[in-house]
Amino acid sequence: MSTKTETQSRGKAPAGERVADWADGRLGIYGGAKKNLRKVFPDHWSFLLGEIALYSFIIILLTGVYLTLFFKPSMAEVHYHGSYVPMQGVLMSEAYASTLDISFDVRGGLLMRQIHHWAALIFLVAMFVHMMRVFFTGAFRKPRELNWLFGFLLLVLGMFTGLTGYSLPDDLLSGTGIRFMEGAILAVPLVGTYMAMFLFGGEFPGTDIIPRFFAIHVLLLPGIMLGLVVAHLILVFYHKHTQYPGPGRTNNNVVGYPLMPIYMAKAGGFFFLVFGVISMISATFTINAVWVLGPYRPDKISTNAQPDWYMGFSEGLIRAMPAWEWVIPTGHTINFGVFIPLMLLPAVLGAIAVYPFFESWVTKDQREHHLLDRPRNVPTRTAFGAAWISVYFVLLVGGGNDLWAIFFDLSINTITWFVRIGFFVVPVVVFMITRRICLGLQRRDRDKVLHGRETGIIKRLPHGEFVEVHEPLPPEQLHLLTQHHQYEAAELPPAVDKNGVESRPGIIEKVRVRISRGYFGDHGQVPKATPEEYKEIMSGHGHH
């Protein structure tokens, strides 16, 4: 016969369920989980770009914690007595010595260094391409302007986190990069010397730059970036994910897979795939082999010194700028050869950051947008994006002009003048070509809607004319080619309204109207086929 205690124990819920009930009574997790775990996310290969950036960031954090346990952020000088024989007895900083120890004496240390560096490069590449995908498809429009800024700040902070990160080993290459940065800071008029003294704690290189970079790289920038990543994901979850146009997809629904279990299972598998690919690359291709270069000394410089790709355009600005100087009457020298590129750097980056607000001002569109654009349907925006990328790559050529000269047997002066001229000419040419291509694709889409798909069948009409038979498009493709919204070009109000009151639009409004005509006027887009035109073709007047 069972006792009272045994009977009570049989009536109790399992321990896990009791814990869940306890938490739900205080946090209300049941209702939130029931609502959010079945949230639907669309599926498209381009959405994986953001996931690659996220997973690379997680890998950076994991490997960074491991490396922090062994790295010594000190510029105190020591004689090396580790396992790497060529450096035996060489005078170096503790930062460089600990980097050698991590590479040759710490178990798994070199692999962790490689994974950390490769993950950082892939993180920035994925963010750059992800932002371009968002830009070209218009995913930055209302209500996602704030999330666009979060992504832009993540890209910029990632660039500076990479700069501080590859400077920590205090090797000859990274030291050259720090010297380049110091020269740029000194070029700031009036306050440049004070800023450099504050950052370096005295004359270059000082004794404080590595410890300060360590705190910035390990604590400050990753903390800010982690907060931005969380905010970015919360807004993606709150606003619901954008989706590409297609049958059954509207601004009011999402077609895809639920978060649990399908999407989470796919995301988990993709994380390990990204981790595996990065690990394979890291184990196969060595990057930042600091032991080859030796410790940093101000009187030496490494050959072929190049920054990572994401900072190459900043050096391209410096190398392409003429060495202009201006000595003002007070005796101060303004080095325009460095100061102007220093001012252009945020302008080149900031132009893409403020674009969502610029386009919103031009269109005056206050609707929410959850369906993505096809790049061909927004020719001017697509052309602007292509032009911006062309500027980036022109400056990247300038940042490596010595390597281009060596490997392609070219003159550095020729390359420099190409960059100087190309900075102004190439974006304009790329803009015009890209917009023409988009307009051509729009015309082709219009013809396909009105005349159908070419079948290759030639038919002779009763009066002797030969025509090619066209097959009408299926409804799904017709919807894809005609669902997009086309803005009308803005117009200035009449000079005198119906009440006889004279209208005087301001200069800003006149500029907006002129820009709107360039975007959406006769030369900015091809009108899509109307239902009336389609019905007339289908009525038998066309050759179908």
Side-chain angles (χ1 to χ4, degrees), residues 99-338:
T99 304
L100 293 180
D101 290 337
I102 292 173
S103 302
F104 298 106
D105 296 308
V106 174
R107 185 178 295 274
L110 180 58
L111 180 61
M112 286 295 176
R113 277 195 61 234
Q114 298 292 293
I115 293 176
H116 190 73
H117 202 136
W118 275 111
L121 293 179
I122 293 174
F123 170 63
L124 286 163
V125 170
M127 278 203 299
F128 182 84
V129 181
H130 173 63
M131 287 194 68
M132 289 300 97
R133 194 277 302 173
V134 171
F135 179 86
F136 286 120
T137 59
F140 55 76
R141 293 170 296 173
K142 184 182 178 180
R144 297 176 178 83
E145 301 97 331
L146 189 60
N147 227 7
W148 169 265
L149 289 181
F150 285 168
F152 172 77
L153 289 175
L154 278 170
L155 178 63
V156 174
L157 291 177
M159 292 166 56
F160 285 100
T161 305
L163 172 65
T164 56
Y166 70 63
S167 300
L168 289 180
D170 199 28
D171 61 291
L172 190 55
L173 179 60
S174 66
T176 304
I178 296 177
R179 190 59 184 262
F180 173 87
M181 182 188 69
E182 188 236 5
I185 295 173
L186 288 174
V188 178
L190 302 179
V191 298
T193 53
Y194 296 99
M195 293 170 60
M197 293 289 285
F198 171 77
L199 180 62
F200 291 93
E203 293 289 342
F204 179 86
T207 58
D208 296 332
I209 188 62
I210 296 300
R212 289 178 178 178
F213 270 16
F214 181 77
I216 294 172
H217 179 74
V218 174
L219 297 176
L220 179 61
L221 294 180
I224 298 174
M225 292 177 68
L226 186 60
L228 288 173
V229 167
V230 172
H232 186 78
L233 294 177
I234 289 174
L235 287 180
V236 169
F237 204 86
Y238 175 72
H239 290 144
K240 73 184 181 183
H241 205 293
T242 55
Q243 58 185 342
Y244 285 93
R249 300 175 183 177
T250 69
N251 270 316
N252 301 317
N253 69 353
V254 179
V255 178
Y257 298 103
L259 178 64
M260 287 291 291
I262 298 176
Y263 188 83
M264 287 302 296
K266 294 174 65 176
F270 191 57
F271 168 76
F272 288 107
L273 178 62
V274 172
F275 206 150
V277 171
I278 292 177
S279 300
M280 182 179 65
I281 295 174
S282 304
T284 308
F285 301 99
T286 301
I287 189 172
N288 199 21
V290 296
W291 54 87
V292 176
L293 301 169
Y296 178 69
R297 285 179 49 180
D299 60 333
K300 294 183 179 295
I301 186 171
S302 59
T303 57
N304 293 342
Q306 303 290 325
D308 282 334
W309 72 269
Y310 50 87
M311 296 299 292
F313 76 104
S314 61
E315 186 159 339
L317 282 168
I318 298 289
R319 295 190 184 190
M321 184 68 193
W324 294 342
E325 289 185 353
W326 181 27
V327 180
I328 59 179
T330 59
H332 291 84
T333 299
I334 300 179
N335 186 352
F336 289 106
V338 179

Side-chain angles (χ1 to χ4, degrees), residues 27 276 505:
L27 302 175

